[in-house]
Amino acid sequence: MVTSRRTPVGRVLAYLESTKNLAGGACGLVGLGLTWAGVAGAYWPVVVAGLYGAGALIAPPARIVTPCFPDPARRLGGVREDLDRLREYVGEVELPPAAEGKLGELLDVYAALLEPGWPAEVLAGEPEAVHALSRAIRLDVPEAVDAYNRARWWTRLNPGGESPERHLERQLSVLSEEAERVTADLRETEARRQQTHTTYLEGRRES
């Protein structure tokens, strides 16, 4: 049974296994050796305890293992697979021509941003852009299409109000604007990178 390090017993066991305790114990053995050699005299308990404490203080702290998170490329691979599934889903829904065209353009932009290679590398370095793209593919677009499909059925039974087609077009317009902002931010990232390299080269020439 594994004892949690957060409990008192777990903390004691963890300390007994730590490098600090091992180093202190080694120094304490040196103190015992000095005692047996007659160097420590009557103060041998103080000597042993002092050497143990010194060894425990100078020993490096235990290294806590860093949690392993999936690298950005693997995360984007999952988003890319979700985009493929989204395309299949959208292909089965009957959409008005205007919305269908706008949605097709939007999905093409997503695909371009997720294209394996340097475009995806730039995207992977921007967590907010990855979040926005993942949210749009996994939540926003499916919800927009599904809501339209359901509302259209009810509208046929009870006409009136703003048409589902109009709502869908408005939603896709907002998502297209968001995609444009993401693309512009990534373009700005590359522009800053280029400018930084120019500044570096010019500074090296002047030095």
Side-chain angles (χ1 to χ4, degrees):
M1 182 178 68
V2 179
T3 303
S4 172
R5 291 176 178 266
R6 295 181 181 274
T7 65
V9 174
R11 285 195 290 268
V12 171
L13 293 177
Y15 179 77
L16 292 177
E17 298 171 354
S18 68
T19 55
K20 287 185 173 294
N21 182 54
L22 295 176
C27 291
L29 289 177
V30 173
L32 289 177
L34 294 175
T35 299
W36 291 333
V39 176
Y43 297 101
W44 69 267
V46 177
V47 173
V48 172
L51 288 174
Y52 175 89
L57 285 175
I58 64 175
R63 182 176 181 272
I64 306 300
V65 179
T66 304
C68 181
F69 299 106
D71 59 79
R74 288 182 59 187
R75 292 201 300 271
L76 289 185
V79 180
R80 197 175 295 117
E81 293 174 359
D82 291 338
L83 177 59
D84 292 337
R85 285 192 288 269
L86 178 60
R87 283 187 183 276
E88 294 177 3
Y89 163 68
V90 169
E92 298 176 358
V93 180
E94 182 182 350
L95 299 174
E100 185 176 10
K102 185 179 290 291
L103 179 56
E105 295 175 358
L106 180 61
L107 297 184
D108 288 342
V109 172
Y110 293 161
L113 293 174
L114 292 167
E115 183 71 22
W118 66 264
E121 292 175 2
V122 176
L123 175 63
E126 300 294 329
E128 292 185 3
V130 174
H131 173 70
L133 198 59
S134 302
R135 181 182 57 194
I137 292 172
R138 293 169 172 167
L139 177 63
D140 296 334
V141 173
E143 175 64 19
V145 174
D146 185 61
Y148 161 76
N149 203 32
R150 292 169 178 264
R152 181 181 59 169
W153 186 85
W154 287 107
T155 301
R156 289 173 178 172
L157 297 180
N158 184 21
E162 190 170 10
S163 67
E165 290 79 5
R166 177 57 182 157
H167 274 292
L168 178 60
E169 291 176 5
R170 289 168 57 188
Q171 293 166 5
L172 293 178
S173 295
V174 173
L175 290 172
S176 296
E177 292 173 1
E178 182 182 63
E180 290 175 1
R181 288 195 299 271
V182 169
T183 304
D185 290 342
L186 295 177
R187 182 180 60 212
E188 180 63 24
T189 297
E190 288 292 85
R192 287 197 302 269
R193 176 190 175 194
Q194 186 182 36
Q195 180 60 47
T196 298
H197 191 56
T198 300
T199 303
Y200 162 72
L201 292 177
E202 291 176 346
R204 190 174 66 182
R205 179 188 60 188
E206 297 172 357
S207 62

